[in-house]
Structures are given as C-alpha cells and as structure tokens.
C-alpha cells in the first residue's frame, strides 16, 4: 500500500546494521494536524537509506511510503517504510530536491527563442 505525507524533518537517526546484514535508518517527520502536530517515524531499509544522506532537520519534505504489518510471537507490529523523499523547502542545500522543475514561459526573453 502506497501513501504520502508532508511535513518538517525533526530527526534523522544513524543507520543500524544487524548481524543478518539487514540495514535500516529512521527519520521522524512532524506533520501539522490541526491543533496537535504529529511526529511520524518512518523507516528506510537497505538501499533506500541513502535517500536520507543529503537531508537535514528543519527541511520540509514529502515522503512516499508503504504501510507494512507483521506478527511476531503473538504481537502485531506496523511500520511505515519510506521509498521516496522530495524536498519541498527548508535549510538544506536546495539543489537536491528530487523534484523536476521546468522553465516557465516568463523565464525567457525574446533573445532566448531560436526562431
């Protein structure tokens, strides 16, 4: 199941590698939800942890994620597993947004048009 959320990065944890070779990294995003903002923890695994390398707390992001659930010893757990991050704005480098920006017609003057 694919979902999206938008908010401000509060925290990016260091990667964790387990004996099995499994690697994960978590990020917390604060989502404005009326009177009570929500702090949502998202998990990035294996090759997707690299998506967090260029990000910094304070940046506004849109995160695409899947909802995962499993049972372990009679208990049930849910994870939000991120697979894409688009920077919307913030204190980061600004040039690494993951979004494609196309020029607007107003970006050109008559000297830029080849015909």
């Amino acid at each position: 199941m694919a979902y999206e959320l938008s908010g401000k990065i509060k925290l990016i944890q260091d990667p964790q590698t387990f004996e099995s070779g499994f690697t994960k990294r978590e990020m917390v995003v604060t989502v404005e939800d009326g009177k009570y903002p929500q702090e949502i923890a998202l998990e990035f695994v294996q090759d997707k942890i690299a998506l967090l390398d260029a990000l910094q707390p304070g940046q506004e992001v849109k995160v695409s994620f899947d909802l995962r659930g499993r049972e372990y010893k009679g208990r049930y757990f849910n994870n939000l597993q991120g697979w894409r991050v688009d920077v919307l704005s913030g204190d980061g480098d600004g040039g690494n947004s993951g979004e494609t920006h196309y020029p607007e017609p107003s970006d050109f003057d008559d000297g830029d048009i080849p015909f």
Side-chain angles (χ1 to χ4, degrees):
M1 293 182 254
Y3 299 92
E4 291 181 345
L5 64 80
S6 296
K8 186 179 285 190
I9 298 173
K10 178 177 183 172
L11 166 69
I12 299 174
Q13 295 182 343
D14 292 330
Q16 296 176 305
T17 302
F18 300 90
E19 289 181 19
S20 65
F22 179 78
T23 303
K24 75 174 189 174
R25 191 171 186 187
E26 292 183 357
M27 172 173 68
V28 176
V29 176
T30 302
V31 177
E32 295 300 324
D33 187 20
K35 192 173 176 181
Y36 302 102
Q38 301 296 309
E39 294 179 346
I40 309 297
L42 297 122
E43 178 179 271
F44 292 77
V45 298
Q46 300 303 89
D47 61 329
K48 298 299 182 189
I49 66 170
L51 296 173
L52 305 181
D53 289 344
L55 300 176
Q56 299 174 18
Q59 289 180 305
E60 291 281 339
V61 293
K62 178 173 72 172
V63 183
S64 299
F65 63 95
D66 293 328
L67 178 61
R68 300 285 187 207
R70 67 184 183 289
E71 182 266 338
Y72 179 72
K73 295 185 179 182
R75 295 189 64 197
Y76 294 88
F77 300 89
N78 297 316
N79 289 355
L80 306 180
Q81 196 169 86
W83 49 269
R84 180 178 174 161
V85 180
D86 293 314
V87 176
L88 302 176
S89 67
D91 299 327
D93 64 3
N96 189 17
S97 70
E99 296 180 355
T100 304
H101 298 282
Y102 297 99
E104 298 291 327
S106 61
D107 292 338
F108 299 100
D109 62 25
D110 291 338
D112 291 332
I113 300 173
F115 49 89

